[in-house]
Amino acid sequence: TQLLEQSPQFLSIQEGENLTVYCNSSSVFSSLQWYRQEPGEGPVLLVTVVTGGEVKKLKRLTFQFGDARKDSSLHITAAQPGDTGLYLCAGAHSWGKLQFGAGTQVVVTP
Amino acid sequence: DSGVTQTPKHLITATGQRVTLRCSPRSGDLSVYWYQQSLDQGLQFLIQYYNGEERAKGNILERFSAQQFPDLHSELNLSSLELGDSALYFCASSVEGQGGNTIYFGEGSWLTVV
């Protein structure tokens, strides 16, 4: 059972387009993290959001944490082929355990 | 390179067998986590150790066990293997064991049970 629901499961877009990935849960987390995983590698942390309503920007990536700290979104502007990968959200509990969503596979074609 | 080292990278073994996966955390990290990633289940938390002691337990089967040694490296033991145990097993580490800390993942160990 996935406590964190990610949508969509798969997204294929052209280079230059924008995309948004959603992460929803019925649980409240102390923080929420977004990772990107490429084939043959482990997930790599992109950002951690802690405060409800928080917005963080990482170049063309914008991350938002919901006011109730139950949901989050990742928006990519002008996507590039290098953005291709599996995007995972993970909710953190105070004792250290991370609960991962199933991931959104993003493919950006030139 | 995250600094987390996992061995072996790939292994193939038969049902009923036992394997041990090894993990060396980043230098200075006290906490080690084990995750299982499969196509149908996604990334599932198995277990966490902090400075040699079990800190949190997730969806770890009774056939599986883990430990963290005094030098902080960790091993995940998988026994009585079944076909469904085929997956990518990740080790991750962090400085502390608190939520919100940055955790760094290794490249994983691919286990195929035939």
Side-chain angles (χ1 to χ4, degrees):
Chain A
T1 302
Q2 291 289 349
L3 296 180
L4 277 167
E5 298 287 337
Q6 285 190 241
S7 62
Q9 293 179 324
F10 179 82
L11 193 55
S12 178
I13 60 171
Q14 295 276 347
E15 181 177 2
E17 293 181 339
N18 302 333
L19 69 98
T20 302
V21 175
Y22 298 94
C23 176
N24 296 293
S25 174
S26 57
S27 301
V28 175
F29 296 103
S30 60
S31 66
L32 195 138
Q33 301 179 347
W34 283 93
Y35 292 78
R36 183 171 71 204
Q37 183 180 12
E38 299 185 23
E41 298 181 9
V44 175
L45 180 67
L46 296 175
V47 78
T48 300
V49 284
V50 180
T51 307
E54 182 177 2
V55 177
K56 279 192 175 178
K57 292 193 175 185
L58 185 66
K59 295 183 181 178
R60 293 175 294 98
L61 278 61
T62 301
F63 304 86
Q64 186 162 6
F65 201 12
D67 291 340
R69 304 204 331 268
K70 294 182 180 180
D71 56 86
S72 181
S73 64
L74 157 61
H75 183 79
I76 301 179
T77 303
Q80 299 177 0
D83 295 325
T84 293
L86 179 68
Y87 288 83
L88 296 158
C89 68
H93 298 281
S94 58
W95 57 91
K97 172 184 168 182
L98 276 180
Q99 186 75 46
F100 279 85
T104 295
Q105 181 63 51
V106 172
V107 176
V108 183
T109 54
Chain B
D1 183 5
S2 66
V4 178
T5 305
Q6 289 187 246
T7 57
K9 292 195 183 312
H10 298 88
L11 65 166
I12 301 173
T13 191
T15 54
Q17 296 298 307
R18 172 192 173 98
V19 298
T20 297
L21 310 181
R22 195 179 188 279
C23 170
S24 293
R26 289 189 330 145
S27 177
D29 284 359
L30 298 178
S31 200
V32 169
Y33 311 76
W34 285 97
Y35 285 84
Q36 178 194 57
Q37 187 175 40
S38 59
L39 285 176
D40 58 341
Q41 291 290 321
L43 199 58
Q44 297 287 321
F45 170 73
L46 295 179
I47 198 164
Q48 177 200 0
Y49 283 84
Y50 178 76
N51 204 20
E53 295 191 359
E54 183 182 306
R55 171 66 66 89
K57 218 168 189 176
N59 303 322
I60 188 166
L61 300 173
E62 287 190 7
R63 299 183 286 108
F64 297 179
S65 65
Q67 54 185 327
Q68 185 179 27
F69 295 88
D71 67 353
L72 300 178
H73 91 270
S74 179
E75 292 181 355
L76 178 66
N77 300 294
L78 315 175
S79 61
S80 302
L81 285 167
E82 301 175 359
L83 295 177
D85 297 327
S86 296
L88 187 55
Y89 291 85
F90 284 107
C91 171
S93 72
S94 65
V95 173
E96 298 177 353
Q98 300 299 318
N101 272 292
T102 298
I103 69 170
Y104 297 87
F105 283 81
E107 294 185 347
S109 292
W110 275 103
L111 171 64
T112 301
V113 182
V114 298

